[in-house]
Amino acid sequence: MNKRGHVLNAVLLSIGLGAVLRPTADIETLVMIVTLSVPITLGALVPDIDTAFGKHRKTLHNIPVLAIFIGWPIYFGNLAYVWIGIATHYILDVVGSTRGIALFYPLSSAEYNLPVGIPVSSSKSDIVTILVTMLEIAAFAGVYYYVYPEATEFAADMGVELALLPIF
């Protein structure tokens, strides 16, 4: 995807995740959307910094970079939600484009994608971006409302407290 697609994805995703996390359609929902929107949008743009140095879709488009941004807020208390933008950038590049990304770089330069992608310059790229974003929101809602409560209950039965990451 292109930068426009990544920003569109980040903005729509912030709205969707805000509505999932605070489905009350009041000021709390708006606050959650605003809280999510800036870091997710910034995170969606971070991987493309590698167009200025390194190898595009390799240097900053890989699992080790994502792991750093997932761990950062846990250990340092800032940059929360940036990892979501980075992860969705990866998803768009893997699902929505024909080229894919090098998920295991620097260990491997092989680029991975799904055969459903379209060229970045396609007139249908916004439609693909919206469809992928809808799937991301639906997947998050499914995990948040169905998987997480079941896992929490199972952990409690085992005598373990399972807390959501401190970033939600």
Side-chain angles (χ1 to χ4, degrees), residues 63-139:
I63 292 172
V65 169
L66 180 60
I68 289 168
F69 279 94
I70 289 173
W72 194 275
I74 295 168
Y75 292 105
F76 298 105
N78 59 11
L79 298 181
Y81 312 119
V82 170
W83 69 271
I84 297 170
I86 293 170
T88 61
H89 183 115
Y90 293 1
I91 291 168
L92 271 178
D93 282 354
V94 168
V95 176
S97 72
T98 54
R99 181 173 167 197
I101 62 174
L103 287 170
F104 302 104
Y105 188 82
L107 301 175
S108 169
S109 290
E111 294 182 351
Y112 298 90
N113 69 330
L114 295 179
V116 295
I118 60 171
V120 173
S121 60
S122 172
S123 63
K124 295 180 178 37
S125 64
D126 285 347
I127 294 168
V128 170
T129 298
I130 291 168
L131 291 173
V132 169
T133 305
M134 289 170 44
L135 289 172
E136 290 170 337
I137 294 167

Side-chain angles (χ1 to χ4, degrees), residues 22 24-34:
R22 301 287 186 266
T24 53
D26 59 8
I27 194 71
E28 286 184 25
T29 306
L30 182 61
V31 168
M32 180 56 73
I33 290 168
V34 171

Side-chain angles (χ1 to χ4, degrees), residues 2 9 19 31 48 80-81 128 140 155:
N2 55 28
N9 172 258
V31 168
D48 283 340
Y81 312 119
V128 170
F140 177 80

Side-chain angles (χ1 to χ4, degrees), residues 19-51:
V20 168
L21 292 168
R22 301 287 186 266
T24 53
D26 59 8
I27 194 71
E28 286 184 25
T29 306
L30 182 61
V31 168
M32 180 56 73
I33 290 168
V34 171
T35 300
L36 294 170
S37 64
V38 172
I40 289 177
T41 303
L42 289 174
L45 296 172
V46 164
D48 283 340
I49 293 171
D50 68 8
T51 59

